[in-house]
């Protein structure tokens, strides 16, 4: 048996632990400062704050991230079909490209992401919208895919339940799996935290807080940085049923975005911002005013009057210069730096970590 400690209970740590437990020769302990069932989350625990949907951010030539995101797309569609209790809801995902963005940034050239081109466009059900389907005075073009929305804390609790299910059939239910609340100052502290003795391997899934671990090299720490996001959670009285991303361009507020995800439970997730190295928790009160003005301008088909905002959430996307770190160094496998894509990339990242674990096991005859 191989004893593995996964440090971190965000979407990356939990998905990785679940995938590791599918191999009956692995025994997994998750150690984390915070779990999805905690009533209050700190902003540096990013996963509960996300929307979350699948709209891959990979560039056309970034097949590494594309392949990771393809795994996630297929997995979420499977969950929609076979596990309604997972908290993943199908949603048509529409992208509206504004005339300002089309002219100023795309220079009048219709620009589509990688998943709307080639073979994968059939998998995601890509379709260009007819101009009769949007406001042609403001929108240059629009397209849709068969998307989804994840109810984040609920979904992560589902992942934990799946792990308990997998640990059945062994001597005691907890013999292959355990959860421990704890904080490590060095990743190497985690070896002694396995519930059955010293761990053979440690997986580092600490997200943004990797930059605080004492045994991460200084150069590496410098590469990890936050990108602040703000999400308003409103009662969905707008009539919106599709995820909607409006590709805006406002030179006065270049880090402001406009996207929506209607959740099954009646909440509307409204985002947001993309503010590099911004760590404040303070939300500018004029931001929501600008957002509603943009809603009325670009998405006038919905009702934006008397919208009731029930919660404001601030989170920090765990970015890393150079992209995801999925790498084994000795007996530690790092998996962090997934930025704005932790949910969509989680299954593909976990698959890669399992590959590294298996390589290590066969090399060291574990
Ligand atoms: C506003 C917003 C919207 C987003 N929308 C989307 C979206 O639509 N789709 C999408 O795919 N992604 C989205 N994201 C990005 C996504 O949320 C992140 O990429 C993802 O949550 C990162 O997950 P993680 O597991 O790496 O980190 P985290 O969720 O931050 O988890 C880190 C874990 O490590 C633990 N930990 C940290 N340090 C230690 C330590 N020293 N000792 C013990 N435990 C430790 C923490 O307690 C926590 O359990 C969004 C993010 C934001 C902020």
């Amino acid at each position: 048996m191989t004893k593995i400690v996964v440090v971190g209970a965000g979407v990356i740590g939990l998905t990785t632990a679940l995938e590791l437990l599918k191999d009956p020769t692995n025994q997994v302990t998750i150690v984390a400062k915070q779990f999805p069932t905690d009533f209050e989350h700190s902003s540096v625990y990013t996963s509960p704050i996300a929307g979350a949907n699948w709209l891959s951010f990979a560039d056309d030539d970034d097949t590494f991230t594309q392949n990771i995101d393809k795994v996630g797309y297929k997995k979420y569609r499977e969950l929609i079909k076979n596990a309604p209790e997972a908290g993943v809801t199908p949603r048509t995902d529409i992208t509206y490209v504004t005339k300002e963005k089309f002219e100023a940034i795309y220079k009048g050239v219709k620009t589509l992401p990688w998943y709307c081109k080639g073979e994968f466009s059939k998998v995601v059900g890509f379709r260009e919208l007819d101009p009769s389907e949007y406001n042609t005075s403001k929108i240059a073009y629009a397209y849709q895919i068969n998307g989804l929305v994840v109810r984040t804390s609920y979904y992560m609790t589902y992942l934990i339940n799946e792990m308990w299910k997998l640990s059945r059939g062994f001597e005691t239910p907890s013999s292959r799996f355990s959860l421990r609340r704890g904080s490590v100052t060095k990743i190497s502290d985690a070896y002694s935290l396995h519930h059955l003795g010293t761990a053979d391997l440690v997986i580092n899934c600490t997200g943004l807080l990797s930059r605080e671990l004492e045994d991460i090299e200084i150069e590496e720490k410098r590469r990890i940085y936050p990108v602040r996001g703000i999400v308003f959670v409103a009662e969905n009285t707008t009539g919106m049923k599709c995820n909607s991303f409006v590709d805006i361009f406002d030179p006065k507020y270049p880090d402001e975005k406009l996207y929506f995800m209607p959740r099954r439970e009646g909440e509307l997730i409204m985002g947001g911002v993309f503010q590099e190295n911004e760590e404040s928790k303070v939300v500018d009160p004029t931001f929501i005013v600008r957002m509603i003005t943009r809603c009325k301008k670009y998405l006038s088909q919905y009702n934006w009057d008397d919208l009731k905002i029930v919660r404001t959430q601030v989170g920090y996307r765990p970015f890393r210069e150079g992209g995801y770190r999925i790498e084994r160094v000795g007996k530690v496998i790092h998996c962090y730096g997934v930025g704005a894509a932790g949910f969509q990339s989680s299954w593909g990242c976990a698959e890669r970590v399992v590959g590294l674990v298996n390589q290590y096991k066969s090399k060291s005859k574990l």
Side-chain angles (χ1 to χ4, degrees):
M1 297 295 270
T2 306
K3 292 193 263 310
I4 304 172
V5 172
V6 174
V7 186
V11 69
I12 297 296
L14 294 175
T15 315
T16 301
L18 175 56
E19 289 300 81
L20 287 168
L21 276 164
K22 288 180 182 166
D23 177 342
T25 66
N26 290 331
Q27 296 166 314
V28 177
T29 305
I30 301 178
V31 176
K33 280 188 204 179
Q34 291 198 278
F35 286 92
T37 44
D38 290 351
F39 189 66
E40 287 199 5
H41 300 300
S42 81
S43 293
V44 282
Y45 182 24
T46 313
S47 297
I49 290 158
N53 70 351
W54 188 102
L55 275 187
S56 174
F57 303 114
D59 289 334
D60 277 0
D61 56 358
D62 180 4
T63 50
F64 172 81
T65 314
Q66 288 175 17
N67 288 335
I68 283 181
D69 288 346
K70 281 179 185 175
V71 177
Y73 185 82
K74 289 180 183 160
K75 187 68 198 181
Y76 283 118
R77 298 305 296 185
E78 258 172 56
L79 289 175
I80 287 169
K81 209 165 145 207
N82 304 322
E85 72 278 18
V88 184
T89 306
R91 288 276 180 254
T92 298
D93 219 307
I94 306 181
T95 298
Y96 299 91
V97 178
T98 62
K99 289 202 158 169
E100 295 91 334
K101 184 77 176 243
F102 181 58
E103 276 146 31
I105 303 297
Y106 301 146
K107 308 290 179 209
V109 178
K110 194 178 278 181
T111 307
L112 296 172
W114 68 270
Y115 53 84
C116 295
K117 296 179 277 198
E119 275 305 297
F120 208 66
S121 66
K122 292 184 199 134
V123 179
V124 300
F126 165 74
R127 176 178 86 86
E128 253 195 85
L129 266 63
D130 186 84
S132 63
E133 296 176 85
Y134 51 84
N135 179 353
T136 47
S137 66
K138 305 285 181 240
I139 302 296
Y141 59 96
Y143 53 91
Q144 70 174 50
I145 63 162
N146 297 323
L148 53 99
V149 60
V150 182
R151 193 181 178 194
T152 50
S153 294
Y154 187 97
Y155 167 71
M156 291 195 289
T157 309
Y158 160 82
L159 295 178
I160 294 175
N161 283 336
E162 290 304 288
M163 290 187 246
W164 288 123
K165 279 191 207 162
L166 282 175
S167 65
R168 271 191 213 143
F170 291 80
E171 267 173 280
T172 67
S174 59
S175 63
R176 279 215 314 130
F177 173 52
S178 185
L179 297 172
R180 286 189 163 184
R181 189 178 301 271
S183 180
V184 298
T185 50
K186 302 197 285 292
I187 200 67
S188 54
D189 290 345
Y191 290 110
S192 60
L193 297 176
H194 197 279
H195 64 291
L196 296 170
T198 305
D200 300 296
L201 280 166
V202 170
I203 321 287
N204 172 21
C205 303
T206 55
L208 189 60
L209 292 180
S210 285
R211 65 182 175 167
E212 290 179 12
L213 293 169
E214 286 175 12
D215 46 0
I216 297 279
E217 320 76 66
I218 189 84
E219 280 312 307
E220 174 58 26
K221 284 182 183 182
R222 287 198 187 117
R223 300 172 80 170
I224 304 167
Y225 64 99
V227 175
R228 187 168 89 133
I230 300 170
V231 157
F232 300 106
V233 183
E235 282 177 14
N236 190 2
T237 50
T238 61
M240 187 186 285
K241 292 195 172 63
C242 302
N243 289 348
S244 307
F245 172 67
V246 186
D247 196 3
I248 59 170
F249 174 66
D250 185 341
K252 209 167 156 207
Y253 300 100
D255 50 16
E256 294 186 1
K257 308 281 169 198
L258 192 61
Y259 61 83
F260 304 88
M261 297 172 207
R263 283 188 178 164
R264 177 166 63 191
E265 299 72 23
E267 293 173 336
L268 181 67
I269 303 295
M270 304 172 59
V273 295
F274 193 88
Q275 298 170 323
E276 290 187 20
N277 290 308
E278 173 59 83
E279 305 209 35
S280 153
K281 288 184 182 168
V282 179
V283 177
D284 169 6
T286 64
F287 170 49
I288 184 69
V289 179
R290 281 193 295 283
M291 193 186 235
I292 298 292
T293 305
R294 290 178 186 132
C295 290
K296 290 182 175 171
K297 178 174 173 185
Y298 298 115
L299 297 173
S300 52
Q301 63 270 45
Y302 300 114
N303 172 25
W304 300 103
D305 294 329
D306 306 319
L307 193 68
K308 190 170 163 206
I309 310 264
V310 289
R311 234 171 28 250
T312 302
Q313 303 182 160
V314 177
Y316 305 93
R317 303 171 180 98
F319 269 83
R320 176 179 179 272
E321 276 168 32
Y324 305 176
R325 185 179 190 194
I326 309 176
E327 179 188 23
R328 183 174 69 80
V329 180
K331 292 180 173 190
V332 174
I333 295 171
H334 298 283
C335 186
Y336 61 82
V338 291
F343 281 83
Q344 57 203 22
S345 294
S346 54
W347 291 99
C349 288
E351 189 181 271
R352 278 169 194 255
V353 172
V354 170
L356 291 174
V357 167
N358 290 342
Q359 257 176 26
Y360 177 79
K361 281 166 75 164
S362 60
K363 216 170 125 197
S364 54
K365 311 243 176 328
L366 273 175

mmCIF file with all atom_site columns, all heavy atoms in Angstrom, residues 220-236:
data_model
loop_
_atom_site.group_PDB
_atom_site.id
_atom_site.type_symbol
_atom_site.label_atom_id
_atom_site.label_alt_id
_atom_site.label_comp_id
_atom_site.label_asym_id
_atom_site.label_entity_id
_atom_site.label_seq_id
_atom_site.pdbx_PDB_ins_code
_atom_site.Cartn_x
_atom_site.Cartn_y
_atom_site.Cartn_z
_atom_site.occupancy
_atom_site.B_iso_or_equiv
_atom_site.pdbx_formal_charge
_atom_site.auth_seq_id
_atom_site.auth_comp_id
_atom_site.auth_asym_id
_atom_site.auth_atom_id
_atom_site.pdbx_PDB_model_num
ATOM 1   N N   . GLU A 1 220 ? 10.749  30.385 -7.015  1.00 0.00 ? 220 GLU A N   1
ATOM 2   C CA  . GLU A 1 220 ? 9.433   29.819 -7.309  1.00 0.00 ? 220 GLU A CA  1
ATOM 3   C C   . GLU A 1 220 ? 8.338   30.634 -6.619  1.00 0.00 ? 220 GLU A C   1
ATOM 4   O O   . GLU A 1 220 ? 7.301   30.945 -7.231  1.00 0.00 ? 220 GLU A O   1
ATOM 5   C CB  . GLU A 1 220 ? 9.400   28.348 -6.862  1.00 0.00 ? 220 GLU A CB  1
ATOM 6   C CG  . GLU A 1 220 ? 8.057   27.662 -6.968  1.00 0.00 ? 220 GLU A CG  1
ATOM 7   C CD  . GLU A 1 220 ? 7.441   27.660 -8.369  1.00 0.00 ? 220 GLU A CD  1
ATOM 8   O OE1 . GLU A 1 220 ? 8.168   27.736 -9.372  1.00 0.00 ? 220 GLU A OE1 1
ATOM 9   O OE2 . GLU A 1 220 ? 6.182   27.596 -8.441  1.00 0.00 ? 220 GLU A OE2 1
ATOM 10  N N   . LYS A 1 221 ? 8.574   31.009 -5.375  1.00 0.00 ? 221 LYS A N   1
ATOM 11  C CA  . LYS A 1 221 ? 7.566   31.802 -4.646  1.00 0.00 ? 221 LYS A CA  1
ATOM 12  C C   . LYS A 1 221 ? 7.233   33.084 -5.392  1.00 0.00 ? 221 LYS A C   1
ATOM 13  O O   . LYS A 1 221 ? 6.090   33.518 -5.415  1.00 0.00 ? 221 LYS A O   1
ATOM 14  C CB  . LYS A 1 221 ? 8.083   32.169 -3.254  1.00 0.00 ? 221 LYS A CB  1
ATOM 15  C CG  . LYS A 1 221 ? 8.042   31.014 -2.289  1.00 0.00 ? 221 LYS A CG  1
ATOM 16  C CD  . LYS A 1 221 ? 8.522   31.479 -0.936  1.00 0.00 ? 221 LYS A CD  1
ATOM 17  C CE  . LYS A 1 221 ? 8.555   30.313 0.010   1.00 0.00 ? 221 LYS A CE  1
ATOM 18  N NZ  . LYS A 1 221 ? 8.953   30.641 1.346   1.00 0.00 ? 221 LYS A NZ  1
ATOM 19  N N   . ARG A 1 222 ? 8.253   33.686 -5.982  1.00 0.00 ? 222 ARG A N   1
ATOM 20  C CA  . ARG A 1 222 ? 8.055   34.965 -6.686  1.00 0.00 ? 222 ARG A CA  1
ATOM 21  C C   . ARG A 1 222 ? 7.141   34.819 -7.910  1.00 0.00 ? 222 ARG A C   1
ATOM 22  O O   . ARG A 1 222 ? 6.613   35.795 -8.408  1.00 0.00 ? 222 ARG A O   1
ATOM 23  C CB  . ARG A 1 222 ? 9.407   35.540 -7.137  1.00 0.00 ? 222 ARG A CB  1
ATOM 24  C CG  . ARG A 1 222 ? 10.206  36.078 -5.978  1.00 0.00 ? 222 ARG A CG  1
ATOM 25  C CD  . ARG A 1 222 ? 11.311  37.019 -6.475  1.00 0.00 ? 222 ARG A CD  1
ATOM 26  N NE  . ARG A 1 222 ? 12.150  37.383 -5.349  1.00 0.00 ? 222 ARG A NE  1
ATOM 27  C CZ  . ARG A 1 222 ? 13.433  37.091 -5.234  1.00 0.00 ? 222 ARG A CZ  1
ATOM 28  N NH1 . ARG A 1 222 ? 14.048  36.454 -6.200  1.00 0.00 ? 222 ARG A NH1 1
ATOM 29  N NH2 . ARG A 1 222 ? 14.108  37.449 -4.159  1.00 0.00 ? 222 ARG A NH2 1
ATOM 30  N N   . ARG A 1 223 ? 7.037   33.587 -8.399  1.00 0.00 ? 223 ARG A N   1
ATOM 31  C CA  . ARG A 1 223 ? 6.216   33.379 -9.596  1.00 0.00 ? 223 ARG A CA  1
ATOM 32  C C   . ARG A 1 223 ? 4.722   33.284 -9.275  1.00 0.00 ? 223 ARG A C   1
ATOM 33  O O   . ARG A 1 223 ? 3.887   33.353 -10.159 1.00 0.00 ? 223 ARG A O   1
ATOM 34  C CB  . ARG A 1 223 ? 6.649   32.073 -10.288 1.00 0.00 ? 223 ARG A CB  1
ATOM 35  C CG  . ARG A 1 223 ? 8.089   32.087 -10.702 1.00 0.00 ? 223 ARG A CG  1
ATOM 36  C CD  . ARG A 1 223 ? 8.529   30.741 -11.193 1.00 0.00 ? 223 ARG A CD  1
ATOM 37  N NE  . ARG A 1 223 ? 8.108   30.516 -12.558 1.00 0.00 ? 223 ARG A NE  1
ATOM 38  C CZ  . ARG A 1 223 ? 8.518   29.502 -13.306 1.00 0.00 ? 223 ARG A CZ  1
ATOM 39  N NH1 . ARG A 1 223 ? 9.347   28.618 -12.800 1.00 0.00 ? 223 ARG A NH1 1
ATOM 40  N NH2 . ARG A 1 223 ? 8.100   29.358 -14.529 1.00 0.00 ? 223 ARG A NH2 1
ATOM 41  N N   . ILE A 1 224 ? 4.408   33.090 -7.992  1.00 0.00 ? 224 ILE A N   1
ATOM 42  C CA  . ILE A 1 224 ? 3.002   32.861 -7.612  1.00 0.00 ? 224 ILE A CA  1
ATOM 43  C C   . ILE A 1 224 ? 2.363   34.207 -7.247  1.00 0.00 ? 224 ILE A C   1
ATOM 44  O O   . ILE A 1 224 ? 2.914   34.948 -6.438  1.00 0.00 ? 224 ILE A O   1
ATOM 45  C CB  . ILE A 1 224 ? 2.941   31.900 -6.398  1.00 0.00 ? 224 ILE A CB  1
ATOM 46  C CG1 . ILE A 1 224 ? 3.671   30.590 -6.730  1.00 0.00 ? 224 ILE A CG1 1
ATOM 47  C CG2 . ILE A 1 224 ? 1.504   31.642 -5.967  1.00 0.00 ? 224 ILE A CG2 1
ATOM 48  C CD1 . ILE A 1 224 ? 3.944   29.702 -5.529  1.00 0.00 ? 224 ILE A CD1 1
ATOM 49  N N   . TYR A 1 225 ? 1.236   34.519 -7.842  1.00 0.00 ? 225 TYR A N   1
ATOM 50  C CA  . TYR A 1 225 ? 0.615   35.823 -7.557  1.00 0.00 ? 225 TYR A CA  1
ATOM 51  C C   . TYR A 1 225 ? -0.910  35.727 -7.635  1.00 0.00 ? 225 TYR A C   1
ATOM 52  O O   . TYR A 1 225 ? -1.455  34.883 -8.355  1.00 0.00 ? 225 TYR A O   1
ATOM 53  C CB  . TYR A 1 225 ? 1.136   36.905 -8.517  1.00 0.00 ? 225 TYR A CB  1
ATOM 54  C CG  . TYR A 1 225 ? 0.788   36.678 -9.967  1.00 0.00 ? 225 TYR A CG  1
ATOM 55  C CD1 . TYR A 1 225 ? -0.283  37.329 -10.558 1.00 0.00 ? 225 TYR A CD1 1
ATOM 56  C CD2 . TYR A 1 225 ? 1.529   35.794 -10.758 1.00 0.00 ? 225 TYR A CD2 1
ATOM 57  C CE1 . TYR A 1 225 ? -0.614  37.122 -11.891 1.00 0.00 ? 225 TYR A CE1 1
ATOM 58  C CE2 . TYR A 1 225 ? 1.202   35.577 -12.086 1.00 0.00 ? 225 TYR A CE2 1
ATOM 59  C CZ  . TYR A 1 225 ? 0.132   36.242 -12.647 1.00 0.00 ? 225 TYR A CZ  1
ATOM 60  O OH  . TYR A 1 225 ? -0.205  36.023 -13.959 1.00 0.00 ? 225 TYR A OH  1
ATOM 61  N N   . PRO A 1 226 ? -1.587  36.617 -6.887  1.00 0.00 ? 226 PRO A N   1
ATOM 62  C CA  . PRO A 1 226 ? -3.059  36.591 -6.896  1.00 0.00 ? 226 PRO A CA  1
ATOM 63  C C   . PRO A 1 226 ? -3.650  37.470 -7.983  1.00 0.00 ? 226 PRO A C   1
ATOM 64  O O   . PRO A 1 226 ? -3.084  38.508 -8.328  1.00 0.00 ? 226 PRO A O   1
ATOM 65  C CB  . PRO A 1 226 ? -3.405  37.178 -5.520  1.00 0.00 ? 226 PRO A CB  1
ATOM 66  C CG  . PRO A 1 226 ? -2.285  38.134 -5.247  1.00 0.00 ? 226 PRO A CG  1
ATOM 67  C CD  . PRO A 1 226 ? -1.049  37.599 -5.919  1.00 0.00 ? 226 PRO A CD  1
ATOM 68  N N   . VAL A 1 227 ? -4.768  37.061 -8.498  1.00 0.00 ? 227 VAL A N   1
ATOM 69  C CA  . VAL A 1 227 ? -5.574  37.930 -9.367  1.00 0.00 ? 227 VAL A CA  1
ATOM 70  C C   . VAL A 1 227 ? -6.965  38.001 -8.715  1.00 0.00 ? 227 VAL A C   1
ATOM 71  O O   . VAL A 1 227 ? -7.681  37.000 -8.640  1.00 0.00 ? 227 VAL A O   1
ATOM 72  C CB  . VAL A 1 227 ? -5.655  37.389 -10.810 1.00 0.00 ? 227 VAL A CB  1
ATOM 73  C CG1 . VAL A 1 227 ? -6.601  38.261 -11.638 1.00 0.00 ? 227 VAL A CG1 1
ATOM 74  C CG2 . VAL A 1 227 ? -4.282  37.362 -11.456 1.00 0.00 ? 227 VAL A CG2 1
ATOM 75  N N   . ARG A 1 228 ? -7.269  39.197 -8.222  1.00 0.00 ? 228 ARG A N   1
ATOM 76  C CA  . ARG A 1 228 ? -8.496  39.328 -7.447  1.00 0.00 ? 228 ARG A CA  1
ATOM 77  C C   . ARG A 1 228 ? -9.738  39.201 -8.325  1.00 0.00 ? 228 ARG A C   1
ATOM 78  O O   . ARG A 1 228 ? -9.765  39.681 -9.460  1.00 0.00 ? 228 ARG A O   1
ATOM 79  C CB  . ARG A 1 228 ? -8.507  40.684 -6.741  1.00 0.00 ? 228 ARG A CB  1
ATOM 80  C CG  . ARG A 1 228 ? -9.668  40.838 -5.772  1.00 0.00 ? 228 ARG A CG  1
ATOM 81  C CD  . ARG A 1 228 ? -9.453  42.053 -4.914  1.00 0.00 ? 228 ARG A CD  1
ATOM 82  N NE  . ARG A 1 228 ? -10.012 43.233 -5.523  1.00 0.00 ? 228 ARG A NE  1
ATOM 83  C CZ  . ARG A 1 228 ? -10.773 44.121 -4.886  1.00 0.00 ? 228 ARG A CZ  1
ATOM 84  N NH1 . ARG A 1 228 ? -11.041 43.947 -3.601  1.00 0.00 ? 228 ARG A NH1 1
ATOM 85  N NH2 . ARG A 1 228 ? -11.221 45.193 -5.490  1.00 0.00 ? 228 ARG A NH2 1
ATOM 86  N N   . GLY A 1 229 ? -10.752 38.542 -7.762  1.00 0.00 ? 229 GLY A N   1
ATOM 87  C CA  . GLY A 1 229 ? -12.061 38.447 -8.417  1.00 0.00 ? 229 GLY A CA  1
ATOM 88  C C   . GLY A 1 229 ? -13.127 38.921 -7.445  1.00 0.00 ? 229 GLY A C   1
ATOM 89  O O   . GLY A 1 229 ? -12.964 38.789 -6.225  1.00 0.00 ? 229 GLY A O   1
ATOM 90  N N   . ILE A 1 230 ? -14.197 39.491 -7.981  1.00 0.00 ? 230 ILE A N   1
ATOM 91  C CA  . ILE A 1 230 ? -15.343 39.873 -7.153  1.00 0.00 ? 230 ILE A CA  1
ATOM 92  C C   . ILE A 1 230 ? -16.590 39.275 -7.796  1.00 0.00 ? 230 ILE A C   1
ATOM 93  O O   . ILE A 1 230 ? -16.779 39.387 -9.010  1.00 0.00 ? 230 ILE A O   1
ATOM 94  C CB  . ILE A 1 230 ? -15.516 41.407 -7.072  1.00 0.00 ? 230 ILE A CB  1
ATOM 95  C CG1 . ILE A 1 230 ? -14.271 42.052 -6.470  1.00 0.00 ? 230 ILE A CG1 1
ATOM 96  C CG2 . ILE A 1 230 ? -16.759 41.775 -6.256  1.00 0.00 ? 230 ILE A CG2 1
ATOM 97  C CD1 . ILE A 1 230 ? -14.260 43.581 -6.572  1.00 0.00 ? 230 ILE A CD1 1
ATOM 98  N N   . VAL A 1 231 ? -17.395 38.634 -6.964  1.00 0.00 ? 231 VAL A N   1
ATOM 99  C CA  . VAL A 1 231 ? -18.620 38.026 -7.469  1.00 0.00 ? 231 VAL A CA  1
ATOM 100 C C   . VAL A 1 231 ? -19.792 38.524 -6.613  1.00 0.00 ? 231 VAL A C   1
ATOM 101 O O   . VAL A 1 231 ? -19.711 38.501 -5.388  1.00 0.00 ? 231 VAL A O   1
ATOM 102 C CB  . VAL A 1 231 ? -18.491 36.480 -7.386  1.00 0.00 ? 231 VAL A CB  1
ATOM 103 C CG1 . VAL A 1 231 ? -19.847 35.817 -7.356  1.00 0.00 ? 231 VAL A CG1 1
ATOM 104 C CG2 . VAL A 1 231 ? -17.677 35.937 -8.550  1.00 0.00 ? 231 VAL A CG2 1
ATOM 105 N N   . PHE A 1 232 ? -20.852 38.986 -7.269  1.00 0.00 ? 232 PHE A N   1
ATOM 106 C CA  . PHE A 1 232 ? -22.085 39.311 -6.556  1.00 0.00 ? 232 PHE A CA  1
ATOM 107 C C   . PHE A 1 232 ? -23.024 38.129 -6.722  1.00 0.00 ? 232 PHE A C   1
ATOM 108 O O   . PHE A 1 232 ? -23.163 37.605 -7.835  1.00 0.00 ? 232 PHE A O   1
ATOM 109 C CB  . PHE A 1 232 ? -22.744 40.566 -7.132  1.00 0.00 ? 232 PHE A CB  1
ATOM 110 C CG  . PHE A 1 232 ? -21.864 41.786 -7.041  1.00 0.00 ? 232 PHE A CG  1
ATOM 111 C CD1 . PHE A 1 232 ? -21.238 42.290 -8.174  1.00 0.00 ? 232 PHE A CD1 1
ATOM 112 C CD2 . PHE A 1 232 ? -21.649 42.422 -5.828  1.00 0.00 ? 232 PHE A CD2 1
ATOM 113 C CE1 . PHE A 1 232 ? -20.414 43.406 -8.101  1.00 0.00 ? 232 PHE A CE1 1
ATOM 114 C CE2 . PHE A 1 232 ? -20.829 43.543 -5.744  1.00 0.00 ? 232 PHE A CE2 1
ATOM 115 C CZ  . PHE A 1 232 ? -20.205 44.035 -6.876  1.00 0.00 ? 232 PHE A CZ  1
ATOM 116 N N   . VAL A 1 233 ? -23.647 37.734 -5.629  1.00 0.00 ? 233 VAL A N   1
ATOM 117 C CA  . VAL A 1 233 ? -24.646 36.667 -5.720  1.00 0.00 ? 233 VAL A CA  1
ATOM 118 C C   . VAL A 1 233 ? -26.009 37.336 -5.561  1.00 0.00 ? 233 VAL A C   1
ATOM 119 O O   . VAL A 1 233 ? -26.280 37.968 -4.531  1.00 0.00 ? 233 VAL A O   1
ATOM 120 C CB  . VAL A 1 233 ? -24.420 35.600 -4.628  1.00 0.00 ? 233 VAL A CB  1
ATOM 121 C CG1 . VAL A 1 233 ? -25.416 34.458 -4.784  1.00 0.00 ? 233 VAL A CG1 1
ATOM 122 C CG2 . VAL A 1 233 ? -22.985 35.082 -4.660  1.00 0.00 ? 233 VAL A CG2 1
ATOM 123 N N   . ALA A 1 234 ? -26.844 37.233 -6.600  1.00 0.00 ? 234 ALA A N   1
ATOM 124 C CA  . ALA A 1 234 ? -28.147 37.908 -6.586  1.00 0.00 ? 234 ALA A CA  1
ATOM 125 C C   . ALA A 1 234 ? -29.274 36.888 -6.698  1.00 0.00 ? 234 ALA A C   1
ATOM 126 O O   . ALA A 1 234 ? -29.054 35.740 -7.109  1.00 0.00 ? 234 ALA A O   1
ATOM 127 C CB  . ALA A 1 234 ? -28.230 38.880 -7.769  1.00 0.00 ? 234 ALA A CB  1
ATOM 128 N N   . GLU A 1 235 ? -30.465 37.304 -6.297  1.00 0.00 ? 235 GLU A N   1
ATOM 129 C CA  . GLU A 1 235 ? -31.648 36.477 -6.582  1.00 0.00 ? 235 GLU A CA  1
ATOM 130 C C   . GLU A 1 235 ? -31.932 36.635 -8.072  1.00 0.00 ? 235 GLU A C   1
ATOM 131 O O   . GLU A 1 235 ? -32.002 37.766 -8.560  1.00 0.00 ? 235 GLU A O   1
ATOM 132 C CB  . GLU A 1 235 ? -32.843 36.977 -5.769  1.00 0.00 ? 235 GLU A CB  1
ATOM 133 C CG  . GLU A 1 235 ? -32.773 36.530 -4.325  1.00 0.00 ? 235 GLU A CG  1
ATOM 134 C CD  . GLU A 1 235 ? -33.921 37.079 -3.477  1.00 0.00 ? 235 GLU A CD  1
ATOM 135 O OE1 . GLU A 1 235 ? -34.910 37.588 -4.041  1.00 0.00 ? 235 GLU A OE1 1
ATOM 136 O OE2 . GLU A 1 235 ? -33.787 37.006 -2.250  1.00 0.00 ? 235 GLU A OE2 1
ATOM 137 N N   . ASN A 1 236 ? -32.082 35.524 -8.763  1.00 0.00 ? 236 ASN A N   1
ATOM 138 C CA  . ASN A 1 236 ? -32.220 35.624 -10.219 1.00 0.00 ? 236 ASN A CA  1
ATOM 139 C C   . ASN A 1 236 ? -33.644 35.992 -10.625 1.00 0.00 ? 236 ASN A C   1
ATOM 140 O O   . ASN A 1 236 ? -34.471 35.129 -10.939 1.00 0.00 ? 236 ASN A O   1
ATOM 141 C CB  . ASN A 1 236 ? -31.775 34.318 -10.896 1.00 0.00 ? 236 ASN A CB  1
ATOM 142 C CG  . ASN A 1 236 ? -31.678 34.486 -12.403 1.00 0.00 ? 236 ASN A CG  1
ATOM 143 O OD1 . ASN A 1 236 ? -31.904 35.572 -12.932 1.00 0.00 ? 236 ASN A OD1 1
ATOM 144 N ND2 . ASN A 1 236 ? -31.347 33.409 -13.089 1.00 0.00 ? 236 ASN A ND2 1
#
